[in-house]
Amino acid sequence: MMTGVLAAEDAALIRRCAADSERTGMLAAPVQELIHQRGWLRMFAPESMGGAELALPQGVRLEEALSAADGSTGWTVTLCAGAGWFTGFLSPELARGIVATPRVCLGGSGAPSGYADIDGDGYRLSGRWNFATGAPMTTHFTMNAVIRQDGAPLLDEAGKPRIRAFVVPAAQVRIEENWHAIGLVATASHTFSLDKVRVDASHAFDLVPGAAKEAGPLYHFPFMSLAFVTLAANISGMALNFIGQAREIIGRRHHHITQQPLAELPQVQQALARGPRELDEARTRFYQLLDAAWDQSCRGEHPGAAADHELQRASLDMVDTARRAVDELYPLCGLAAADRRCDSDIARAWRDLHTATQHALMLPFSA
């Protein structure tokens, strides 16, 4: 049975492969194999369909631990397992077939940068979507598209273009290898496109209350809150990774003039204590709110808009605290933290964190 605990030997393998993953621009083969062996990409897929249907707080803790081992690994598992959650909103027959796919991996984009033209009892999908994390591993792509009829967008009750989500097999998708970010290099978050690909209506779904096909609390947890907590936990994990390495590096350094051990300087001691303490406090509050929201969801109670906002705000606060803690220690690490080589673990952790915080949801004022 899957748990929210990352085994020490699994974390060690991921760390050993991190440099190779970044060097090749995608997760190394041993890491991919481990991901599939552990079933992490099925962690949020319905148990009735062959998934683990892991309790959300356990999954979030696992994702944080994976990112603490390697940012690209944690981010890829998080985004692809998150797309696997969508199978709880598909017809059981379609979902069962997808989850049963050997080495299944769902990935895609939430941006509505394409169109779905109504074609009889199905749709024709066309468009181009950026930042599909795990693209080389992906067996099924998900995307949002504007619904059109006879070339004109259909409007919802608010007068805005109607948007639906879709899932298509990877064989129908064209991948453009154009991921060139400074961090999260091995996520291979490339662009993909479709050109008038026809899909059955069953391949369309909606991530709204009441649309879930599964009864479990995981599929009735608010989608936006789920997105916030999973992404924020990744950034927290990356910060924990950086801080652990920074402590070791700073402990070996001496002041360039006085030759006094850097870690003995009062201002350095304060920095080493302050950031990690504040991050620990932010993490404690974050997990308290997440656990409470999950408990309510398990009781069939929706926490309400105010509680959703509080959880999302705590997610952003944790991200901001993580970034500040890392950036306060960064100048104390010397050029080791600025090394662009793939085998510089601390520099890779810094690049990963600062790339992850560029995600649109992680804007400080977005919740």
mmCIF file of all heavy atoms in Angstrom, residues 191-239:
data_model
loop_
_atom_site.group_PDB
_atom_site.id
_atom_site.type_symbol
_atom_site.label_atom_id
_atom_site.label_comp_id
_atom_site.label_asym_id
_atom_site.label_seq_id
_atom_site.Cartn_x
_atom_site.Cartn_y
_atom_site.Cartn_z
ATOM 1 N N THR A 191 6.333 22.065 -25.198
ATOM 2 C CA THR A 191 5.068 22.449 -25.824
ATOM 3 C C THR A 191 4.520 21.255 -26.620
ATOM 4 O O THR A 191 5.279 20.446 -27.153
ATOM 5 C CB THR A 191 5.304 23.649 -26.756
ATOM 6 O OG1 THR A 191 5.668 24.784 -25.964
ATOM 7 C CG2 THR A 191 4.075 23.981 -27.585
ATOM 8 N N PHE A 192 3.199 21.172 -26.698
ATOM 9 C CA PHE A 192 2.591 20.157 -27.568
ATOM 10 C C PHE A 192 1.466 20.792 -28.362
ATOM 11 O O PHE A 192 0.922 21.840 -27.987
ATOM 12 C CB PHE A 192 2.085 18.955 -26.757
ATOM 13 C CG PHE A 192 0.913 19.234 -25.862
ATOM 14 C CD1 PHE A 192 -0.386 18.954 -26.275
ATOM 15 C CD2 PHE A 192 1.091 19.771 -24.596
ATOM 16 C CE1 PHE A 192 -1.480 19.198 -25.440
ATOM 17 C CE2 PHE A 192 0.015 20.018 -23.752
ATOM 18 C CZ PHE A 192 -1.272 19.728 -24.179
ATOM 19 N N SER A 193 1.121 20.168 -29.461
ATOM 20 C CA SER A 193 0.085 20.723 -30.325
ATOM 21 C C SER A 193 -0.768 19.621 -30.927
ATOM 22 O O SER A 193 -0.366 18.446 -31.011
ATOM 23 C CB SER A 193 0.713 21.571 -31.439
ATOM 24 O OG SER A 193 1.599 20.804 -32.222
ATOM 25 N N LEU A 194 -1.955 20.018 -31.352
ATOM 26 C CA LEU A 194 -2.908 19.136 -32.024
ATOM 27 C C LEU A 194 -3.429 19.856 -33.262
ATOM 28 O O LEU A 194 -3.596 21.085 -33.244
ATOM 29 C CB LEU A 194 -4.085 18.802 -31.102
ATOM 30 C CG LEU A 194 -3.796 17.991 -29.842
ATOM 31 C CD1 LEU A 194 -5.007 18.018 -28.909
ATOM 32 C CD2 LEU A 194 -3.445 16.573 -30.194
ATOM 33 N N ASP A 195 -3.707 19.110 -34.297
ATOM 34 C CA ASP A 195 -4.228 19.696 -35.529
ATOM 35 C C ASP A 195 -5.449 18.927 -36.000
ATOM 36 O O ASP A 195 -5.339 17.870 -36.627
ATOM 37 C CB ASP A 195 -3.146 19.699 -36.608
ATOM 38 C CG ASP A 195 -3.596 20.402 -37.888
ATOM 39 O OD1 ASP A 195 -4.582 21.170 -37.829
ATOM 40 O OD2 ASP A 195 -2.955 20.179 -38.942
ATOM 41 N N LYS A 196 -6.605 19.424 -35.608
ATOM 42 C CA LYS A 196 -7.893 18.844 -36.018
ATOM 43 C C LYS A 196 -7.997 17.364 -35.652
ATOM 44 O O LYS A 196 -8.473 16.536 -36.433
ATOM 45 C CB LYS A 196 -8.111 19.038 -37.516
ATOM 46 C CG LYS A 196 -8.171 20.499 -37.929
ATOM 47 C CD LYS A 196 -8.378 20.655 -39.430
ATOM 48 C CE LYS A 196 -8.407 22.130 -39.829
ATOM 49 N NZ LYS A 196 -8.560 22.301 -41.290
ATOM 50 N N VAL A 197 -7.567 17.031 -34.466
ATOM 51 C CA VAL A 197 -7.645 15.649 -33.979
ATOM 52 C C VAL A 197 -9.045 15.394 -33.441
ATOM 53 O O VAL A 197 -9.526 16.116 -32.557
ATOM 54 C CB VAL A 197 -6.594 15.398 -32.880
ATOM 55 C CG1 VAL A 197 -6.821 14.031 -32.236
ATOM 56 C CG2 VAL A 197 -5.199 15.485 -33.471
ATOM 57 N N ARG A 198 -9.688 14.365 -33.957
ATOM 58 C CA ARG A 198 -11.056 14.087 -33.520
ATOM 59 C C ARG A 198 -11.068 13.179 -32.304
ATOM 60 O O ARG A 198 -10.353 12.169 -32.257
ATOM 61 C CB ARG A 198 -11.886 13.439 -34.631
ATOM 62 C CG ARG A 198 -13.376 13.436 -34.292
ATOM 63 C CD ARG A 198 -14.226 12.757 -35.358
ATOM 64 N NE ARG A 198 -15.639 13.003 -35.102
ATOM 65 C CZ ARG A 198 -16.352 12.389 -34.154
ATOM 66 N NH1 ARG A 198 -15.769 11.469 -33.382
ATOM 67 N NH2 ARG A 198 -17.628 12.673 -33.949
ATOM 68 N N VAL A 199 -11.894 13.516 -31.319
ATOM 69 C CA VAL A 199 -12.066 12.692 -30.125
ATOM 70 C C VAL A 199 -13.548 12.515 -29.854
ATOM 71 O O VAL A 199 -14.371 13.371 -30.208
ATOM 72 C CB VAL A 199 -11.379 13.313 -28.886
ATOM 73 C CG1 VAL A 199 -9.876 13.384 -29.079
ATOM 74 C CG2 VAL A 199 -11.967 14.684 -28.563
ATOM 75 N N ASP A 200 -13.866 11.411 -29.235
ATOM 76 C CA ASP A 200 -15.240 11.155 -28.818
ATOM 77 C C ASP A 200 -15.620 12.104 -27.679
ATOM 78 O O ASP A 200 -14.753 12.590 -26.946
ATOM 79 C CB ASP A 200 -15.365 9.706 -28.353
ATOM 80 C CG ASP A 200 -16.785 9.329 -28.019
ATOM 81 O OD1 ASP A 200 -17.566 9.081 -28.955
ATOM 82 O OD2 ASP A 200 -17.111 9.297 -26.818
ATOM 83 N N ALA A 201 -16.899 12.335 -27.518
ATOM 84 C CA ALA A 201 -17.366 13.238 -26.468
ATOM 85 C C ALA A 201 -16.958 12.783 -25.077
ATOM 86 O O ALA A 201 -16.813 13.600 -24.158
ATOM 87 C CB ALA A 201 -18.894 13.378 -26.535
ATOM 88 N N SER A 202 -16.718 11.480 -24.903
ATOM 89 C CA SER A 202 -16.322 10.968 -23.590
ATOM 90 C C SER A 202 -14.949 11.462 -23.170
ATOM 91 O O SER A 202 -14.584 11.363 -21.999
ATOM 92 C CB SER A 202 -16.337 9.438 -23.595
ATOM 93 O OG SER A 202 -15.366 8.921 -24.496
ATOM 94 N N HIS A 203 -14.175 11.988 -24.102
ATOM 95 C CA HIS A 203 -12.842 12.491 -23.793
ATOM 96 C C HIS A 203 -12.872 13.924 -23.275
ATOM 97 O O HIS A 203 -11.822 14.480 -22.952
ATOM 98 C CB HIS A 203 -11.943 12.403 -25.027
ATOM 99 C CG HIS A 203 -11.557 11.007 -25.381
ATOM 100 N ND1 HIS A 203 -10.273 10.529 -25.269
ATOM 101 C CD2 HIS A 203 -12.303 9.959 -25.825
ATOM 102 C CE1 HIS A 203 -10.237 9.268 -25.641
ATOM 103 N NE2 HIS A 203 -11.452 8.894 -25.989
ATOM 104 N N ALA A 204 -14.043 14.506 -23.192
ATOM 105 C CA ALA A 204 -14.201 15.839 -22.614
ATOM 106 C C ALA A 204 -14.686 15.705 -21.173
ATOM 107 O O ALA A 204 -15.465 14.804 -20.842
ATOM 108 C CB ALA A 204 -15.207 16.650 -23.428
ATOM 109 N N PHE A 205 -14.219 16.590 -20.305
ATOM 110 C CA PHE A 205 -14.655 16.534 -18.905
ATOM 111 C C PHE A 205 -14.584 17.930 -18.289
ATOM 112 O O PHE A 205 -13.989 18.857 -18.855
ATOM 113 C CB PHE A 205 -13.808 15.538 -18.105
ATOM 114 C CG PHE A 205 -12.337 15.835 -18.070
ATOM 115 C CD1 PHE A 205 -11.749 16.468 -16.974
ATOM 116 C CD2 PHE A 205 -11.506 15.464 -19.131
ATOM 117 C CE1 PHE A 205 -10.387 16.730 -16.941
ATOM 118 C CE2 PHE A 205 -10.138 15.722 -19.096
ATOM 119 C CZ PHE A 205 -9.575 16.359 -18.001
ATOM 120 N N ASP A 206 -15.217 18.066 -17.135
ATOM 121 C CA ASP A 206 -15.283 19.347 -16.430
ATOM 122 C C ASP A 206 -14.811 19.159 -14.996
ATOM 123 O O ASP A 206 -15.237 18.221 -14.310
ATOM 124 C CB ASP A 206 -16.715 19.895 -16.420
ATOM 125 C CG ASP A 206 -17.245 20.122 -17.821
ATOM 126 O OD1 ASP A 206 -16.703 21.009 -18.499
ATOM 127 O OD2 ASP A 206 -18.193 19.416 -18.228
ATOM 128 N N LEU A 207 -13.944 20.054 -14.537
ATOM 129 C CA LEU A 207 -13.437 19.993 -13.162
ATOM 130 C C LEU A 207 -14.215 20.970 -12.297
ATOM 131 O O LEU A 207 -13.690 21.971 -11.795
ATOM 132 C CB LEU A 207 -11.944 20.321 -13.139
ATOM 133 C CG LEU A 207 -11.041 19.335 -13.887
ATOM 134 C CD1 LEU A 207 -9.630 19.859 -13.948
ATOM 135 C CD2 LEU A 207 -11.079 17.977 -13.208
ATOM 136 N N VAL A 208 -15.485 20.682 -12.126
ATOM 137 C CA VAL A 208 -16.368 21.540 -11.337
ATOM 138 C C VAL A 208 -17.102 20.682 -10.310
ATOM 139 O O VAL A 208 -17.219 19.463 -10.486
ATOM 140 C CB VAL A 208 -17.390 22.268 -12.236
ATOM 141 C CG1 VAL A 208 -16.673 23.212 -13.195
ATOM 142 C CG2 VAL A 208 -18.246 21.265 -13.011
ATOM 143 N N PRO A 209 -17.565 21.305 -9.224
ATOM 144 C CA PRO A 209 -18.309 20.542 -8.221
ATOM 145 C C PRO A 209 -19.477 19.778 -8.851
ATOM 146 O O PRO A 209 -20.213 20.305 -9.669
ATOM 147 C CB PRO A 209 -18.812 21.626 -7.261
ATOM 148 C CG PRO A 209 -17.818 22.738 -7.407
ATOM 149 C CD PRO A 209 -17.416 22.728 -8.852
ATOM 150 N N GLY A 210 -19.606 18.544 -8.506
ATOM 151 C CA GLY A 210 -20.688 17.718 -9.022
ATOM 152 C C GLY A 210 -20.345 16.959 -10.288
ATOM 153 O O GLY A 210 -21.117 16.097 -10.713
ATOM 154 N N ALA A 211 -19.186 17.267 -10.895
ATOM 155 C CA ALA A 211 -18.830 16.594 -12.144
ATOM 156 C C ALA A 211 -18.039 15.315 -11.915
ATOM 157 O O ALA A 211 -17.856 14.536 -12.842
ATOM 158 C CB ALA A 211 -18.029 17.537 -13.033
ATOM 159 N N ALA A 212 -17.577 15.087 -10.702
ATOM 160 C CA ALA A 212 -16.772 13.894 -10.417
ATOM 161 C C ALA A 212 -17.597 12.630 -10.615
ATOM 162 O O ALA A 212 -18.774 12.571 -10.241
ATOM 163 C CB ALA A 212 -16.234 13.956 -9.004
ATOM 164 N N LYS A 213 -16.963 11.610 -11.181
ATOM 165 C CA LYS A 213 -17.618 10.317 -11.372
ATOM 166 C C LYS A 213 -17.341 9.377 -10.195
ATOM 167 O O LYS A 213 -17.939 8.310 -10.103
ATOM 168 C CB LYS A 213 -17.124 9.664 -12.663
ATOM 169 C CG LYS A 213 -17.382 10.488 -13.913
ATOM 170 C CD LYS A 213 -18.875 10.710 -14.146
ATOM 171 C CE LYS A 213 -19.147 11.297 -15.532
ATOM 172 N NZ LYS A 213 -18.624 12.679 -15.676
ATOM 173 N N GLU A 214 -16.426 9.772 -9.309
ATOM 174 C CA GLU A 214 -16.059 8.975 -8.149
ATOM 175 C C GLU A 214 -16.601 9.616 -6.883
ATOM 176 O O GLU A 214 -16.664 10.848 -6.770
ATOM 177 C CB GLU A 214 -14.537 8.843 -8.052
ATOM 178 C CG GLU A 214 -13.915 8.039 -9.176
ATOM 179 C CD GLU A 214 -14.230 6.563 -9.076
ATOM 180 O OE1 GLU A 214 -14.178 6.023 -7.944
ATOM 181 O OE2 GLU A 214 -14.531 5.941 -10.111
ATOM 182 N N ALA A 215 -16.962 8.783 -5.912
ATOM 183 C CA ALA A 215 -17.590 9.291 -4.686
ATOM 184 C C ALA A 215 -16.583 9.695 -3.614
ATOM 185 O O ALA A 215 -16.937 10.400 -2.665
ATOM 186 C CB ALA A 215 -18.531 8.227 -4.115
ATOM 187 N N GLY A 216 -15.339 9.255 -3.721
ATOM 188 C CA GLY A 216 -14.352 9.500 -2.679
ATOM 189 C C GLY A 216 -14.077 10.973 -2.450
ATOM 190 O O GLY A 216 -14.227 11.802 -3.363
ATOM 191 N N PRO A 217 -13.652 11.342 -1.242
ATOM 192 C CA PRO A 217 -13.415 12.746 -0.908
ATOM 193 C C PRO A 217 -12.324 13.397 -1.749
ATOM 194 O O PRO A 217 -12.335 14.612 -1.938
ATOM 195 C CB PRO A 217 -13.013 12.699 0.575
ATOM 196 C CG PRO A 217 -12.541 11.301 0.816
ATOM 197 C CD PRO A 217 -13.376 10.449 -0.093
ATOM 198 N N LEU A 218 -11.404 12.598 -2.282
ATOM 199 C CA LEU A 218 -10.327 13.162 -3.088
ATOM 200 C C LEU A 218 -10.877 13.909 -4.300
ATOM 201 O O LEU A 218 -10.325 14.939 -4.713
ATOM 202 C CB LEU A 218 -9.390 12.043 -3.545
ATOM 203 C CG LEU A 218 -8.135 12.450 -4.313
ATOM 204 C CD1 LEU A 218 -7.258 13.374 -3.470
ATOM 205 C CD2 LEU A 218 -7.351 11.218 -4.734
ATOM 206 N N TYR A 219 -11.984 13.433 -4.867
ATOM 207 C CA TYR A 219 -12.523 14.013 -6.093
ATOM 208 C C TYR A 219 -13.563 15.087 -5.823
ATOM 209 O O TYR A 219 -14.143 15.640 -6.767
ATOM 210 C CB TYR A 219 -13.066 12.895 -6.991
ATOM 211 C CG TYR A 219 -12.025 11.831 -7.148
ATOM 212 C CD1 TYR A 219 -12.097 10.644 -6.423
ATOM 213 C CD2 TYR A 219 -10.894 12.053 -7.928
ATOM 214 C CE1 TYR A 219 -11.091 9.693 -6.510
ATOM 215 C CE2 TYR A 219 -9.883 11.109 -8.011
ATOM 216 C CZ TYR A 219 -9.984 9.935 -7.291
ATOM 217 O OH TYR A 219 -8.975 9.004 -7.353
ATOM 218 N N HIS A 220 -13.753 15.375 -4.551
ATOM 219 C CA HIS A 220 -14.657 16.464 -4.175
ATOM 220 C C HIS A 220 -13.906 17.563 -3.424
ATOM 221 O O HIS A 220 -14.508 18.509 -2.938
ATOM 222 C CB HIS A 220 -15.817 15.907 -3.354
ATOM 223 C CG HIS A 220 -16.659 14.941 -4.147
ATOM 224 N ND1 HIS A 220 -17.719 15.339 -4.932
ATOM 225 C CD2 HIS A 220 -16.552 13.599 -4.321
ATOM 226 C CE1 HIS A 220 -18.235 14.286 -5.536
ATOM 227 N NE2 HIS A 220 -17.543 13.213 -5.188
ATOM 228 N N PHE A 221 -12.595 17.405 -3.358
ATOM 229 C CA PHE A 221 -11.760 18.461 -2.795
ATOM 230 C C PHE A 221 -11.624 19.544 -3.853
ATOM 231 O O PHE A 221 -11.431 19.246 -5.030
ATOM 232 C CB PHE A 221 -10.378 17.896 -2.437
ATOM 233 C CG PHE A 221 -9.598 18.754 -1.481
ATOM 234 C CD1 PHE A 221 -9.761 18.596 -0.109
ATOM 235 C CD2 PHE A 221 -8.721 19.715 -1.948
ATOM 236 C CE1 PHE A 221 -9.039 19.388 0.779
ATOM 237 C CE2 PHE A 221 -7.998 20.506 -1.076
ATOM 238 C CZ PHE A 221 -8.168 20.346 0.302
ATOM 239 N N PRO A 222 -11.714 20.824 -3.476
ATOM 240 C CA PRO A 222 -11.681 21.900 -4.486
ATOM 241 C C PRO A 222 -10.420 21.848 -5.340
ATOM 242 O O PRO A 222 -9.312 21.776 -4.823
ATOM 243 C CB PRO A 222 -11.722 23.174 -3.632
ATOM 244 C CG PRO A 222 -12.349 22.758 -2.338
ATOM 245 C CD PRO A 222 -11.899 21.342 -2.103
ATOM 246 N N PHE A 223 -10.601 21.892 -6.645
ATOM 247 C CA PHE A 223 -9.482 21.745 -7.570
ATOM 248 C C PHE A 223 -8.412 22.809 -7.360
ATOM 249 O O PHE A 223 -7.211 22.507 -7.346
ATOM 250 C CB PHE A 223 -9.988 21.796 -9.013
ATOM 251 C CG PHE A 223 -8.879 21.886 -10.025
ATOM 252 C CD1 PHE A 223 -7.925 20.889 -10.131
ATOM 253 C CD2 PHE A 223 -8.782 22.982 -10.882
ATOM 254 C CE1 PHE A 223 -6.897 20.968 -11.051
ATOM 255 C CE2 PHE A 223 -7.759 23.071 -11.807
ATOM 256 C CZ PHE A 223 -6.812 22.069 -11.895
ATOM 257 N N MET A 224 -8.811 24.070 -7.212
ATOM 258 C CA MET A 224 -7.813 25.124 -7.072
ATOM 259 C C MET A 224 -7.011 24.953 -5.788
ATOM 260 O O MET A 224 -5.789 25.162 -5.779
ATOM 261 C CB MET A 224 -8.474 26.501 -7.107
ATOM 262 C CG MET A 224 -8.981 26.893 -8.479
ATOM 263 S SD MET A 224 -7.704 26.836 -9.771
ATOM 264 C CE MET A 224 -6.558 28.072 -9.189
ATOM 265 N N SER A 225 -7.657 24.576 -4.711
ATOM 266 C CA SER A 225 -6.918 24.347 -3.468
ATOM 267 C C SER A 225 -5.962 23.173 -3.622
ATOM 268 O O SER A 225 -4.832 23.204 -3.113
ATOM 269 C CB SER A 225 -7.889 24.091 -2.313
ATOM 270 O OG SER A 225 -8.589 25.280 -1.983
ATOM 271 N N LEU A 226 -6.397 22.122 -4.321
ATOM 272 C CA LEU A 226 -5.506 20.990 -4.567
ATOM 273 C C LEU A 226 -4.283 21.442 -5.353
ATOM 274 O O LEU A 226 -3.144 21.051 -5.054
ATOM 275 C CB LEU A 226 -6.264 19.897 -5.318
ATOM 276 C CG LEU A 226 -5.498 18.602 -5.592
ATOM 277 C CD1 LEU A 226 -6.437 17.403 -5.514
ATOM 278 C CD2 LEU A 226 -4.829 18.621 -6.975
ATOM 279 N N ALA A 227 -4.494 22.286 -6.348
ATOM 280 C CA ALA A 227 -3.371 22.775 -7.151
ATOM 281 C C ALA A 227 -2.414 23.606 -6.296
ATOM 282 O O ALA A 227 -1.188 23.448 -6.372
ATOM 283 C CB ALA A 227 -3.891 23.601 -8.330
ATOM 284 N N PHE A 228 -2.954 24.486 -5.475
ATOM 285 C CA PHE A 228 -2.107 25.330 -4.627
ATOM 286 C C PHE A 228 -1.262 24.498 -3.671
ATOM 287 O O PHE A 228 -0.056 24.726 -3.543
ATOM 288 C CB PHE A 228 -2.972 26.307 -3.825
ATOM 289 C CG PHE A 228 -3.239 27.607 -4.523
ATOM 290 C CD1 PHE A 228 -4.411 27.803 -5.234
ATOM 291 C CD2 PHE A 228 -2.324 28.637 -4.473
ATOM 292 C CE1 PHE A 228 -4.658 29.001 -5.883
ATOM 293 C CE2 PHE A 228 -2.561 29.841 -5.116
ATOM 294 C CZ PHE A 228 -3.740 30.027 -5.827
ATOM 295 N N VAL A 229 -1.881 23.547 -2.993
ATOM 296 C CA VAL A 229 -1.132 22.828 -1.952
ATOM 297 C C VAL A 229 -0.067 21.908 -2.554
ATOM 298 O O VAL A 229 1.022 21.754 -1.981
ATOM 299 C CB VAL A 229 -2.076 22.025 -1.024
ATOM 300 C CG1 VAL A 229 -3.034 22.967 -0.303
ATOM 301 C CG2 VAL A 229 -2.831 20.926 -1.746
ATOM 302 N N THR A 230 -0.347 21.307 -3.705
ATOM 303 C CA THR A 230 0.639 20.407 -4.284
ATOM 304 C C THR A 230 1.845 21.183 -4.823
ATOM 305 O O THR A 230 2.995 20.757 -4.632
ATOM 306 C CB THR A 230 0.020 19.543 -5.393
ATOM 307 O OG1 THR A 230 -0.626 20.381 -6.363
ATOM 308 C CG2 THR A 230 -1.001 18.576 -4.817
ATOM 309 N N LEU A 231 1.606 22.317 -5.460
ATOM 310 C CA LEU A 231 2.718 23.117 -5.974
ATOM 311 C C LEU A 231 3.529 23.725 -4.832
ATOM 312 O O LEU A 231 4.769 23.733 -4.866
ATOM 313 C CB LEU A 231 2.200 24.221 -6.902
ATOM 314 C CG LEU A 231 1.519 23.767 -8.196
ATOM 315 C CD1 LEU A 231 1.108 24.980 -9.018
ATOM 316 C CD2 LEU A 231 2.425 22.867 -9.016
ATOM 317 N N ALA A 232 2.844 24.246 -3.827
ATOM 318 C CA ALA A 232 3.538 24.873 -2.706
ATOM 319 C C ALA A 232 4.416 23.874 -1.964
ATOM 320 O O ALA A 232 5.535 24.198 -1.541
ATOM 321 C CB ALA A 232 2.532 25.502 -1.746
ATOM 322 N N ALA A 233 3.937 22.648 -1.804
ATOM 323 C CA ALA A 233 4.729 21.620 -1.115
ATOM 324 C C ALA A 233 6.007 21.319 -1.873
ATOM 325 O O ALA A 233 7.054 21.053 -1.276
ATOM 326 C CB ALA A 233 3.895 20.357 -0.939
ATOM 327 N N ASN A 234 5.944 21.352 -3.201
ATOM 328 C CA ASN A 234 7.150 21.148 -4.004
ATOM 329 C C ASN A 234 8.191 22.219 -3.713
ATOM 330 O O ASN A 234 9.378 21.920 -3.535
ATOM 331 C CB ASN A 234 6.798 21.188 -5.492
ATOM 332 C CG ASN A 234 6.495 19.832 -6.062
ATOM 333 O OD1 ASN A 234 7.328 19.217 -6.699
ATOM 334 N ND2 ASN A 234 5.292 19.356 -5.819
ATOM 335 N N ILE A 235 7.764 23.458 -3.665
ATOM 336 C CA ILE A 235 8.698 24.565 -3.432
ATOM 337 C C ILE A 235 9.259 24.488 -2.026
ATOM 338 O O ILE A 235 10.447 24.745 -1.802
ATOM 339 C CB ILE A 235 7.989 25.898 -3.713
ATOM 340 C CG1 ILE A 235 7.678 25.985 -5.217
ATOM 341 C CG2 ILE A 235 8.833 27.085 -3.252
ATOM 342 C CD1 ILE A 235 6.740 27.096 -5.608
ATOM 343 N N SER A 236 8.441 24.087 -1.066
ATOM 344 C CA SER A 236 8.938 23.877 0.287
ATOM 345 C C SER A 236 10.019 22.806 0.300
ATOM 346 O O SER A 236 11.068 22.955 0.941
ATOM 347 C CB SER A 236 7.779 23.470 1.209
ATOM 348 O OG SER A 236 8.263 23.068 2.474
ATOM 349 N N GLY A 237 9.793 21.710 -0.432
ATOM 350 C CA GLY A 237 10.793 20.645 -0.500
ATOM 351 C C GLY A 237 12.094 21.121 -1.115
ATOM 352 O O GLY A 237 13.184 20.787 -0.630
ATOM 353 N N MET A 238 12.010 21.904 -2.173
ATOM 354 C CA MET A 238 13.218 22.450 -2.797
ATOM 355 C C MET A 238 13.978 23.344 -1.828
ATOM 356 O O MET A 238 15.218 23.328 -1.796
ATOM 357 C CB MET A 238 12.845 23.217 -4.066
ATOM 358 C CG MET A 238 12.257 22.355 -5.167
ATOM 359 S SD MET A 238 11.664 23.380 -6.541
ATOM 360 C CE MET A 238 10.429 22.289 -7.262
ATOM 361 N N ALA A 239 13.238 24.133 -1.040
ATOM 362 C CA ALA A 239 13.891 25.000 -0.058
ATOM 363 C C ALA A 239 14.577 24.181 1.032
ATOM 364 O O ALA A 239 15.695 24.501 1.449
ATOM 365 C CB ALA A 239 12.859 25.943 0.563
#
